[in-house]
Amino acid sequence: MALRYALSEIRKHGTDRTWWRKRFLTHAVSRYFTDVRRPPATPVVEKDWDNLIVLDACRYDLFEEVHAETPLPGTLEKRRSVQSGTPGFLTENFADGEFHDTVYVTGNPYVNTDLPEETFHAVESVWKDGWDDDLQTVRPQTMADRTLSVAEKYPDKRIISHFLQPHAPFVGDVQLGERETFAIREQAMGNENATTRHRTPFEMLEAGEVSYDEVWTAYRSNLESSWPAVRQLLENLQGLTAVTSDHGNAMGERAWPFPIRVYGHPLGILIPALTEVPWLTHQNGTRKDVSADRPVDVDRQVDEKTNERLRMLGYAE
């Protein structure tokens, strides 16, 4: 059955160079990086923080560029993420542990679908009720407001706030690409018909339809759209707050030692463009007195069928 499916896929996509590149990345390059030459990386759960702001898909050099022009309070360093996509970041950081001293505030549905049900004390699913239907994302200010509310509700818990920006769709002042649907969210909400998605700006770059500078400018603008909300959290959350990312985005960098270019953020491709992320820390007042308590009931609103579809969809790969 597997061979028949493989032959069918080859007949269907055999002349598509992009399809072959993605298959090679998945079946050869990712295995090399994960099984043969895995770069050293420190999980975020082993770092020191009271509050963690995760800017989805923010590579270090992008953050550094914006920070140099509009500094945030705190000290900026570089760290290496354990994975090159959100599902891997979540699984490798959290799936094997219990973090009952932590509340996860998320604009990203993968937190609900890819982790065991009692991983955290609570999960605040902003992607369910804080969604902007026009922009097809969660606005940064919505995430900041909800995070501050959750921090007030749970003063003795560590807080993770997972923004969607600067991940596509690019909804800053400079916009690029289509954003009519967000299939990951629709699948998690139970819409079984949401099986298609639009190409990301990184796939458009790969196809030669837009330039590197066009994508970088829109990518940067998307990060800048989150800047005021991130600053608000840094200035108002109690304790030690860290700003980081789960992974970056590749824009044609090669996956050395393989002479193949990478676009977007395929899982398991542990190159610097995808794993070098910011680590900015800032402390307000005294550190939190954190305690662990039994998890609260969470309405995850997903089923196994949806879960499998999400894993197949990925982000853009």
Side-chain angles (χ1 to χ4, degrees), residues 167-231:
H167 193 285
F170 289 170
V171 296
D173 291 338
V174 180
Q175 301 185 5
L176 183 67
E178 298 177 275
R179 58 179 191 277
E180 283 82 352
T181 60
F182 193 99
I184 296 167
R185 178 189 183 256
E186 291 301 307
Q187 292 284 2
M189 292 291 283
N191 180 2
E192 297 187 358
N193 295 320
T195 57
T196 61
R197 62 172 179 80
H198 296 291
R199 288 184 305 159
T200 70
F202 303 99
E203 290 171 319
M204 295 166 64
L205 175 63
E206 181 179 12
E209 297 174 2
V210 293
S211 70
Y212 183 102
D213 288 343
E214 285 178 298
V215 175
W216 184 266
T217 299
Y219 188 20
R220 170 177 168 148
S221 179
N222 212 31
L223 175 60
E224 290 172 330
S225 74
S226 71
W227 220 244
V230 173
R231 180 183 297 277

Side-chain angles (χ1 to χ4, degrees), residues 230-271:
V230 173
R231 180 183 297 277
Q232 181 183 7
L233 293 182
L234 284 169
E235 293 176 347
N236 288 278
L237 288 173
Q238 178 190 341
L240 179 62
T241 299
V243 183
T244 190
S245 182
D246 46 357
H247 58 85
N249 262 312
M251 299 181 59
E253 291 86 355
R254 295 190 187 276
W256 296 114
F258 301 92
I260 185 171
R261 295 190 182 276
V262 185
Y263 297 86
H265 50 273
L267 279 172
I269 311 301
L270 307 182
I271 61 175

Side-chain angles (χ1 to χ4, degrees), residues 80-96:
R80 188 184 294 274
S81 182
V82 295
Q83 257 294 350
S84 56
T86 302
F89 166 82
L90 292 172
T91 299
E92 295 189 28
N93 275 289
F94 304 111
D96 294 330

